Amino acid sequence: MSSEGGAPPSSAKRVGIRDVRARKNSAEKLIVLTAYDALFARLIDESGVDIVLVGDSAGTVLLGYDTTIPVTLDQMIHHASAARRGVKRALVTVDMPFLTYQVSAEQAVTNCGRVMQESGADSVKLEGGSAEVVRAVRAVTGVGIPVMGHLGYTPQSEHALGRSRVQARDDRDALALVEHAKRLEDAGVFSIVLELIPRTVARAVTQAVSVPTIGIGAGADCDGQVLVLHDMLGLNDRFTPKFLKRYATLADDVRSAVRRFGDDVRAGRYPDDDHSF
Ligand code: KIV
């Protein structure tokens, strides 16, 4: 049972793929947050998340790129290895970066295998529902690597998706999305992220597949919710989409702390005798 604020005791057993699958239609929603390093991964793991997602959002949130497209496999392995070292309980899922799984099934297996072997991750996430991606998912799950799907707004395809970020607004696109989700399920995914789609469409997908759906900007009817940690902490304070709820204002705290440190040093208040040997 919870020790404080919903967090499990540190001795709690590790979350596995079966545990995630068992949360389909459960009253207990899956809680998923991103982490790109050992420190934040440890903090969110200690706070009771079910899945730590090492997202390729690292590219935009941490590395200063405009999109996730420049992120490389080596960069993802670097971040995933660090996050893995911080996690004791949650399932660790790693985003496969652009063009590491779409070209051929063989490449997908080799690259996902590298992530698993070199970072110690528990699973990988592949974006999209095209024939190429479904083929990759089938090949990767076929060698025993658990795969999370990702439909709706898929940032690696942002140049192809058009101006509106919210996807599947009309009936034709909504039906196609449900179809893609069923194909991913058939190819073996253990869960599917649904990003930036109308709540009604997310509900239809959630009802159409037997694996848990994890929403971000997809309304309340998914089997779980994911947010980018730096966004929900208010650290990435230039990102202000409608769906985002901020649970802290850490960018303000950082700026204020840095200014106060500078003021103290300039005024000779720091270091004082209490902070000197
Ligand atoms: O890269 C990422 O952080 C993600 C989440 C937004 C789901 O894919």
Side-chain angles (χ1 to χ4, degrees):
M1 285 304 292
S2 301
S3 55
E4 185 193 345
S10 53
S11 59
K13 95 173 191 9
R14 282 181 65 169
V15 178
I17 298 295
R18 276 165 190 257
D19 303 308
V20 173
R21 281 181 175 274
R23 302 281 278 281
K24 179 70 188 174
N25 295 329
S26 162
E28 199 190 346
K29 301 266 185 187
L30 285 164
I31 309 301
V32 185
L33 283 171
T34 59
Y36 317 118
D37 58 44
L39 174 60
F40 274 124
R42 176 173 66 77
L43 293 178
I44 66 175
D45 188 46
E46 288 169 354
S47 309
V49 299
D50 298 300
I51 302 177
V52 171
L53 173 63
V54 187
D56 62 352
S57 53
T60 49
V61 175
L62 286 192
L63 304 178
Y65 299 135
D66 289 334
T67 72
T68 57
I69 291 169
V71 175
T72 66
L73 192 60
D74 285 339
Q75 285 170 334
M76 287 310 297
I77 291 172
H78 172 78
H79 288 292
S81 308
R84 166 80 278 169
R85 290 191 285 272
V87 175
K88 288 206 169 87
R89 174 184 170 273
L91 189 89
V92 176
T93 302
V94 180
D95 257 341
M96 293 304 295
F98 180 60
L99 277 198
T100 59
Y101 55 93
Q102 299 94 332
V103 175
S104 71
E106 290 75 17
Q107 246 186 46
V109 170
T110 305
N111 289 332
C112 293
R114 267 197 70 194
V115 168
M116 300 293 285
Q117 284 190 314
E118 295 178 33
S119 76
D122 301 308
S123 52
V124 294
K125 174 160 82 59
L126 272 53
E127 285 186 12
S130 66
E132 289 77 10
V133 176
V134 172
R135 175 187 64 188
V137 170
R138 204 177 290 285
V140 173
T141 57
V143 297
I145 299 175
V147 176
M148 179 184 281
H150 184 159
L151 293 173
Y153 181 74
T154 45
Q156 291 172 16
S157 311
E158 76 164 74
H159 295 308
L161 289 179
R163 269 181 305 155
S164 168
R165 278 166 44 92
V166 179
Q167 303 296 301
R169 282 192 190 268
D170 63 38
D171 288 352
R172 203 191 53 160
D173 290 351
L175 286 173
L177 196 111
V178 172
E179 194 47 42
H180 286 165
K182 287 183 183 166
R183 285 187 204 155
L184 287 178
E185 177 185 18
D186 183 61
V189 296
F190 70 91
S191 58
I192 304 176
V193 167
L194 298 176
E195 180 164 357
L196 284 178
I197 58 174
R199 177 176 180 173
T200 48
V201 180
R203 188 189 303 139
V205 174
T206 301
Q207 287 168 355
V209 295
S210 65
V211 293
T213 57
I214 301 166
I216 173 164
D221 303 308
C222 298
D223 300 300
Q225 295 290 327
V226 56
L227 284 176
V228 169
L229 182 68
H230 293 61
D231 298 344
M232 62 87 86
L233 292 179
L235 260 176
N236 187 20
D237 61 344
R238 291 185 182 164
F239 186 61
T240 55
K242 178 179 176 192
F243 69 81
L244 177 63
K245 180 168 175 183
R246 289 227 176 108
Y247 290 84
T249 51
L250 294 194
D252 292 339
D253 291 346
V254 169
R255 281 187 286 257
S256 158
V258 172
R259 281 193 200 109
R260 285 186 291 118
F261 169 65
D263 290 348
D264 276 359
V265 171
R266 282 181 213 106
R269 287 189 296 267
Y270 179 84
D272 55 13
D273 286 348
D274 286 347
H275 296 93
S276 301
F277 300 102

